[in-house]
Amino acid sequence: MDNFAGGTAAPETEPVAVEPEVPTRLLPVAELHLHIEGTLQPELIFALAERNGIALPYSGLEELRARYEFTDLQSFLDLYYANMAVLQTEQDFADMTRAYLERAAAAGVRHAEIMMDPQAHISRGIPLDTCVNGVASVLATSEEDYGISTMLIAAFLRDLSEESALEVLDGLLAMNAPIGAIGLDSAEVGNPPSKFERLYAKAREAGLRLTAHAGEEGPASYIIEALDILGVERIDHGIRCMDDPDLVERLVDARIPLTVCPLSNVRLRAVDTLADHPLPAMLAAGLNVSVNSDDPAYFGGYVDDNFTQLEAAFELSDFDKARLAANSIHSSFASEERKAELLDELNSGEVTH
Ligand code: ADE
Ligand code: ZN
């Protein structure tokens, strides 16, 4: 009051600059390339180890995190499979799935197609229904609980035999597992898609949707095999298509979705740095690419982190970001009704991701 009355005294406090409250809006996306076992965060690995009385070969979080320096896909897979030892009970699989959905919701994910590796659990003596039911029990209510519609994808390990994959697919079908698709993952080079022709024929017959990792470390010819021999609808990764201009033209013409995982490609040294990633060239070529996190606990980020780091590395326009989000929705195996709902959501607001 004195200040107003006297007119000359200095104000007692500095005026506070108030930033206008701009409501931020996450870009609604579909995550199409995500391994649920790759969402096991170090803290959860230690918590589950303690709950299950499992001795880990690391003294603590620091020592575990120090191992997240990968030289290639195999160096990651070795740690990824080793850490699965902590997954023992349905509850463990459920807790891991809940943790992912909670984080994914914060990243703007509105639909998620989630791969799991049943063979990696069966080979450790974990029954098929334990791993499937643990994950599926959480996915069953994911839309109500997290606003994320979901589909479970059974992924098969390509470094194992086709017989093993067929046996597990039979088991999944016999238990009427709530899976909507199959995928193919693990060590790519030397394990071409053609090795799994009968598996994919059987899955197609069973009415399952089809996707496969191809062209991550392996050559462009593996992408061609996945399309021609396995009949997949979608390619996981696919970045090596850029080595083959005829293949790029084919993928563009057929609008084949490529579920690209930029941070994964950097961490597994498929590309030298994010600035060297082919994503901008893929977009410019007209390829149907989406941005996904692959194994976010291991590669330094979820879908939102992938977008943020891409923005820092490239001048991605709002238009490009919206295109990537729309591609993810169009490329999903969600119902036409759900896709329309998510596209409406995407088109109704300003992009701030
Ligand atoms: N399993 C989990 N992540 C994978 C990846 N990026 N490539 C192949 N197999 C995987
Ligand atoms: Zn993957």
Side-chain angles (χ1 to χ4, degrees), residues 33-35 115 185 213 216 236-237 261 264 294-295:
H33 185 156
L34 182 280
H35 303 265
M115 279 179 271
D185 62 0
H213 284 50
E216 177 186 16
D236 293 318
H237 291 296
C261 307
S264 163
D294 205 4
D295 301 283

Side-chain angles (χ1 to χ4, degrees), residues 10-343:
E12 283 165 22
T13 53
E14 289 294 314
V16 177
V18 179
E19 289 288 332
E21 280 256 336
V22 181
T24 53
R25 175 179 171 273
L26 283 168
L27 198 59
V29 294
E31 170 132 84
L32 307 178
H33 185 156
L34 182 280
H35 303 265
I36 196 65
E37 298 90 344
T39 69
L40 262 185
Q41 289 287 353
E43 292 80 1
L44 189 53
I45 290 173
F46 274 90
L48 295 180
E50 190 172 350
R51 183 157 89 191
N52 293 320
I54 289 172
L56 290 170
Y58 332 108
S59 60
L61 290 171
E62 287 279 284
E63 200 182 320
L64 171 55
R65 288 206 183 97
R67 304 208 181 187
Y68 286 34
E69 281 291 332
F70 307 115
T71 50
D72 56 12
L73 174 58
Q74 190 60 55
S75 66
F76 153 70
L77 290 171
D78 292 343
L79 185 67
Y80 166 80
Y81 293 127
N83 284 340
M84 289 182 201
V86 301
L87 295 165
Q88 294 286 322
T89 65
E90 270 192 36
Q91 195 190 343
D92 299 336
F93 285 92
D95 288 349
M96 169 177 68
T97 307
R98 266 190 289 273
Y100 163 68
L101 289 170
E102 193 170 319
R103 178 62 183 82
V109 173
R110 304 284 282 109
H111 176 78
E113 298 183 355
I114 297 175
M115 279 179 271
M116 74 175 307
D117 288 331
Q119 289 160 296
H121 308 301
I122 294 168
S123 64
R124 303 182 289 113
I126 307 298
L128 183 61
D129 58 355
T130 298
C131 56
V132 170
N133 294 341
V135 174
S137 64
V138 176
L139 299 189
T141 57
S142 61
E143 201 165 342
E144 296 96 283
D145 297 342
Y146 301 95
I148 303 177
S149 49
T150 50
M151 174 185 278
L152 183 57
I153 301 177
F156 293 90
L157 306 186
R158 66 199 306 154
D159 42 353
L160 301 185
S161 68
E162 188 182 42
E163 284 65 36
S164 161
L166 283 164
E167 202 177 304
V168 173
L169 179 59
D170 281 343
L172 289 163
L173 296 174
M175 70 179 274
N176 208 13
I179 57 171
I182 67 160
L184 190 63
D185 62 0
S186 202
E188 185 181 11
V189 175
N191 294 296
S194 52
K195 188 175 156 185
F196 294 93
E197 187 172 1
R198 289 182 302 150
L199 175 75
Y200 275 72
K202 183 156 202 175
R204 184 183 308 105
E205 232 169 76
L208 296 171
R209 310 296 296 265
L210 308 175
T211 181
H213 284 50
E216 177 186 16
E217 279 189 345
S221 62
Y222 281 20
I223 300 173
I224 298 172
E225 278 192 20
L227 294 170
D228 291 344
I229 299 177
L230 304 186
V232 300
E233 305 164 73
R234 201 159 79 192
I235 297 286
D236 293 318
H237 291 296
I239 55 171
R240 295 286 302 275
C241 74
M242 299 305 275
D243 298 338
D244 180 344
D246 291 342
L247 175 58
V248 169
E249 198 180 321
R250 173 181 177 182
L251 295 169
V252 170
D253 288 349
R255 297 285 304 148
I256 302 292
L258 305 176
T259 64
V260 174
C261 307
L263 291 181
S264 163
N265 296 148
V266 175
R267 295 296 278 265
L268 300 188
R269 315 249 183 119
V271 298
D272 290 338
T273 69
L274 198 54
D276 301 305
H277 198 280
L279 185 87
M282 295 174 90
L283 273 171
L287 286 162
N288 178 7
V289 287
S290 58
V291 170
N292 302 271
S293 67
D294 205 4
D295 301 283
Y298 290 91
F299 301 149
Y302 290 77
V303 161
D304 51 341
D305 303 308
N306 273 268
F307 269 97
T308 305
Q309 294 195 38
L310 283 169
E311 277 186 84
F314 305 110
E315 288 188 2
L316 272 190
S317 65
D318 281 357
F319 180 79
D320 288 334
K321 286 183 281 178
R323 179 139 69 105
L324 288 164
N327 285 348
S328 74
I329 297 166
H330 283 296
S331 302
S332 76
F333 298 145
S335 67
E336 290 309 316
E337 188 189 359
R338 179 64 173 155
K339 287 187 197 180
E341 202 170 279
L342 296 179
L343 289 166

